[in-house]
Amino acid sequence: NAGVTQTPKFRVLKTGQSMTLLCAQDMNHEYMYWYRQDPGMGLRLIHYSVGEGTTAKGEVPDGYNVSRLKKQNFLLGLESAAPSQTSVYFCASRYPPDRAEYNEQFFGPGTRLTVL
Amino acid sequence: GNSVTQMEGPVTLSEEAFLTINCTYTATGYPSLFWYVQYPGEGLQLLLKATKADDKGSNKGFEATYRKETTSFHLEKGSVQVSDSAVYFCALRGSTLGRLYFGRGTQLTVWP
């Protein structure tokens, strides 16, 4: 199993450009999450999904959109990038609460995004 | 609401020293508590967990006990190694949808 994978690993954008970050998991997890990590801030939840075709806002959703067209993929989009979106982005996934293994969230390796 | 307060770093220790990283939380209901570790250039990995009061989570020589009376989940290790150098995050999972609330992270550096 590859676990949770993220592409790309690094990206530099200019202000106003758009891009999509891809998260893929091969563990058949229902729940998927996008977090951003900023120095001294821990991880903050951007958006999440509890199943294919469903998405919901997290703590810091402004400036981002997401889609979950397939169960194994969760896409994070930036329509018009801003310097404030310079961050490291982590995707995570896990089983739903009715599974005994649901305690653990599995994280991808992260995408380092710089917006100039 | 839910929040986690974690000891500010960085923490620098010599090999074989004793480690404590403090973590306290505020939560509604009965949260589960976690410690995650992030090695340089990698994502977060679950280090240990505790799902109810007085539970002790342990892994790789690290331990933490869920203390409801003091709302704490301090991470300890009796003898750290250079390979333990990483960022450590305390987190809680609220009852709704399983989202995690993270502390700010504590950078640990262990010197030989």
Side-chain angles (χ1 to χ4, degrees):
Chain A
N1 287 349
V4 181
T5 58
Q6 293 182 232
T7 52
K9 287 186 169 49
F10 303 94
R11 186 73 185 270
V12 178
L13 292 178
K14 294 180 180 177
T15 296
Q17 287 185 317
S18 63
M19 79 163 294
T20 300
L21 284 68
L22 171 64
C23 174
Q25 52 92 6
D26 61 1
M27 295 173 282
N28 204 32
H29 287 165
E30 292 288 340
Y31 287 23
M32 297 186 74
Y33 307 84
W34 275 108
Y35 295 91
R36 59 177 289 173
Q37 181 183 28
D38 301 295
M41 298 288 290
L43 277 73
R44 293 180 292 169
L45 183 65
I46 305 172
H47 285 280
Y48 63 94
S49 168
V50 300
E52 182 178 321
T54 73
T55 63
K57 294 180 181 179
E59 189 181 351
V60 288
D62 293 343
Y64 305 95
N65 56 73
V66 288
S67 64
R68 183 97 181 269
L69 299 179
K70 293 182 179 180
K71 185 177 182 179
Q72 63 268 33
N73 295 337
F74 195 27
L75 278 65
L76 178 70
L78 286 74
E79 289 188 349
S80 179
S84 61
Q85 294 177 303
T86 294
S87 187
V88 181
Y89 292 86
F90 287 100
C91 178
S93 70
R94 70 171 182 88
Y95 289 112
D98 60 347
R99 289 282 295 266
E101 309 94 322
Y102 92 109
N103 268 313
E104 182 172 358
Q105 280 194 23
F106 293 82
F107 284 80
T111 295
R112 186 173 295 275
L113 175 66
T114 301
V115 183
L116 301 175
Chain B
N2 296 319
S3 68
V4 174
T5 302
Q6 191 175 332
M7 176 176 151
E8 296 284 334
V11 174
T12 303
L13 295 172
S14 297
E15 207 165 25
E16 299 182 1
F18 184 85
L19 169 71
T20 299
I21 301 178
N22 290 338
C23 172
T24 58
Y25 67 90
T26 302
T28 54
Y30 302 95
S32 295
L33 301 173
F34 304 84
W35 277 100
Y36 278 83
V37 59
Q38 183 181 29
Y39 298 103
E42 298 183 11
L44 278 71
Q45 303 173 24
L46 179 65
L47 180 60
L48 53 84
K49 65 180 185 286
T51 58
K52 61 182 187 299
D54 299 325
D55 269 2
K56 178 185 281 188
S58 61
N59 186 26
K60 299 181 181 179
F62 291 90
E63 293 183 340
T65 301
Y66 188 164
R67 301 284 188 202
K68 192 169 186 295
E69 64 276 12
T70 55
T71 61
S72 65
F73 193 54
H74 305 319
L75 182 68
E76 296 182 336
K77 187 174 185 182
S79 176
V80 293
Q81 305 300 312
V82 172
S83 57
D84 294 327
S85 297
V87 181
Y88 292 82
F89 292 93
C90 186
L92 73 82
R93 188 182 65 234
S95 55
T96 304
L97 295 169
R99 65 153 294 184
L100 292 172
Y101 297 82
F102 286 89
R104 296 187 173 188
T106 301
Q107 172 76 56
L108 170 66
T109 302
V110 181
W111 296 99

